[in-house]
Amino acid sequence: MDTNAESNSWRPEYHFAPSTGWMNDPNGLIYHDGVYHLFYQAGERRRRWDHATSSDLVTWTERGTKIPDTDSIQAFSGGAVVDSRNTAGFGTDALVALYTGHHDDGTEDQRLAYSTDGGETLRKYENNPVIESDTGEFRDPNPFWYEPDESWRLVVSRVEATDDRPAGIEIYRSPNLLDWTYESTYVDEAGAGWECPSLFERPVEGADETKWVLPVSPIEHRSVEYHIGHFDGTAFVGEEVHSADHGYDFYATQQWGNEPADRDLLLTWMNNWEYAMEGPDPGWRGAMTVPRTLSLEADDNGLAVIQRPAAELACARREPVAELHSEPITPGRDPLDGTELAGRTLEIETTITPQSASTVGLAVRTGPEQESVISYDPTDGTLRFDRSNAGEFFGSNDEDRTVTSVDLPATDALDLRVLIDRCSVEIFAANGRRTMTNLVYPDRESTGVSLFAEDGVARLEELVAYTLSAG
């Protein structure tokens, strides 16, 4: 039960958010001995690594600060690995984190901390930095094991070019996580500045091949891109680029290392640097998306990137609050009328065929003069999200509305999976081929849900909705 209305009105139920204070990028995502570790950037003015753990990806326990800042060096973002071969000499299965040391003069270098007690404590390596630097804008190291030659690789962002290096994602090699050798730089022809890289290999469903996926966060666009191509241990060659999410609140994606299932599991900061420090501040600031899986699929249009909420989210479901099949939707008829579908924490799965309607959609978190609207226009295949009347903060800036295109299957049916939490709406459309992630700040009483069709008749093929609770 909520004990502080101001603090808890928007506090997520099944997304991770800190109990107090500031949070931004996920750091050092690692699975070890049945526990998912989430380190993250904390401290609004001076960054450090704080820590949380979970066994189910839904319920999280905060573990406090693990890499503090000092009088002159902040602990910026990075990644972590489990050193199962004891290559670094800290002990078998030591948890080893690489992070950026951001000096007060603006210089950024790469540093190491390690844990021999399952992440309970992290010790800073006595011979830091492990990658020296006398320039700034060089950050976010993320290590991974490269099986073909049984050694480590690391990707790190060179956000701005220097006299001897271009802007891009640099790749390093190491036998022991301590001694790193520069190998190559993956660059963008337009010279874009990228942050928060990771690199992993993924099989392509429907094709006898694998691809490497390089998530990056372009600073200019405040978003995430998946660069997909080939990696030979030395250089990454990109072949195509996919937008990871078409909402406004999706930045600094990182992959969970050492994940036991045959999947690539990712987590992302659910906010936007354009307004992150200006939004409501009820004593805590910042939340993560739900963990989502990424897969690649060969289809008629080439390579599709499929993203879905992690299967563990199903454990947060309570009994269905609505279940409908084969219902017409018209300008005067909403099949949800008379149902008990309402709430601040919901999962809604629905399939709608537009038929003769010019627009179909779903309004959520509705209340007196408040709503967040998901709409689809079949004439041009566009999916839209509108939070201009969603509640506090939004409604008078350039980030109130977002749009993307959706290719429907031959049945012309739009499928949506919508995750609603107290301050967010995450949309997975077209079987995960398009996603939108956006913050909203509605009143506590704005809990309604409605279906609509404009200028014609649509058909609700099916809908099932659940209340979600982490406890």
Side-chain angles (χ1 to χ4, degrees), residues 178-383:
L178 306 174
D179 304 299
W180 293 95
T181 302
Y182 169 79
E183 295 290 324
S184 65
T185 301
Y186 172 61
V187 301
D188 178 74
E189 293 181 358
W194 292 325
E195 293 185 310
C196 306
S198 56
L199 185 59
F200 54 90
E201 190 176 18
R202 187 70 209 163
V204 179
E205 298 175 18
D208 187 20
E209 63 177 340
T210 64
K211 297 284 187 180
W212 284 80
V213 181
L214 174 67
V216 296
S217 294
I219 294 174
E220 180 181 0
H221 301 297
R222 308 298 192 187
S223 60
V224 175
E225 296 173 345
Y226 295 142
H227 291 240
I228 300 173
H230 293 282
F231 179 60
D232 62 4
T234 298
F236 175 80
V237 178
E239 298 174 326
E240 50 189 279
V241 179
H242 294 251
S243 294
D245 193 276
H246 297 271
Y248 284 113
D249 297 298
F250 194 87
Y251 196 77
T253 291
Q254 190 169 130
Q255 180 213 24
W256 247 290
N258 208 43
E259 217 281 324
D262 183 23
R263 60 181 179 176
D264 286 300
L265 184 67
L266 301 101
L267 191 71
T268 305
W269 180 44
M270 191 162 56
N271 215 323
N272 189 310
W273 281 118
E274 292 296 324
Y275 48 74
M277 295 183 174
E278 301 170 3
D281 183 3
W284 57 275
R285 271 179 150 176
M288 296 298 178
T289 64
V290 293
R292 63 172 66 173
T293 60
L294 180 148
S295 58
L296 304 178
E297 184 177 303
D299 61 20
D300 293 340
N301 298 317
L303 190 66
V305 176
I306 312 297
Q307 299 176 91
R308 299 187 179 100
E312 285 87 343
L313 190 64
C315 73
R317 290 174 175 172
R318 300 302 173 251
E319 292 297 316
V321 291
E323 191 166 359
L324 298 171
H325 301 275
S326 302
E327 295 276 355
I329 314 170
T330 71
R333 184 182 190 276
D334 177 359
L336 292 179
D337 288 345
T339 72
E340 297 181 357
L341 180 49
R344 296 190 294 151
T345 59
L346 295 170
E347 178 184 6
I348 302 171
E349 293 185 273
T350 186
T351 301
I352 303 170
T353 301
Q355 293 185 332
S356 63
S358 64
T359 305
V360 298
L362 187 69
V364 301
R365 295 305 307 267
T366 65
E369 299 182 357
Q370 289 186 358
E371 61 180 358
S372 296
V373 182
I374 305 160
S375 62
Y376 175 72
D377 184 343
T379 59
D380 58 7
T382 54
L383 183 70

Side-chain angles (χ1 to χ4, degrees), residues 1-13 280-284 343-345 365 370 390-392 421-424 440-447:
M1 179 178 293
D2 292 345
T3 57
N4 185 306
E6 182 180 7
S7 175
N8 288 306
S9 178
W10 299 312
R11 177 175 297 286
E13 169 70 18
D281 183 3
W284 57 275
R344 296 190 294 151
T345 59
R365 295 305 307 267
Q370 289 186 358
E392 288 197 25
D421 210 338
R422 293 170 182 159
C423 67
S424 63
V440 293
Y441 298 108
D443 294 344
R444 178 184 294 267
E445 295 77 16
S446 295
T447 61

Side-chain angles (χ1 to χ4, degrees), residues 24-27 41 49 75-79 98-100 139-141 196:
N24 58 290
D25 302 358
N27 295 163
Q41 292 282 273
W49 279 35
F76 273 25
S77 293
L98 275 294
Y99 67 98
T100 294
R139 54 182 174 267
D140 309 338
C196 306

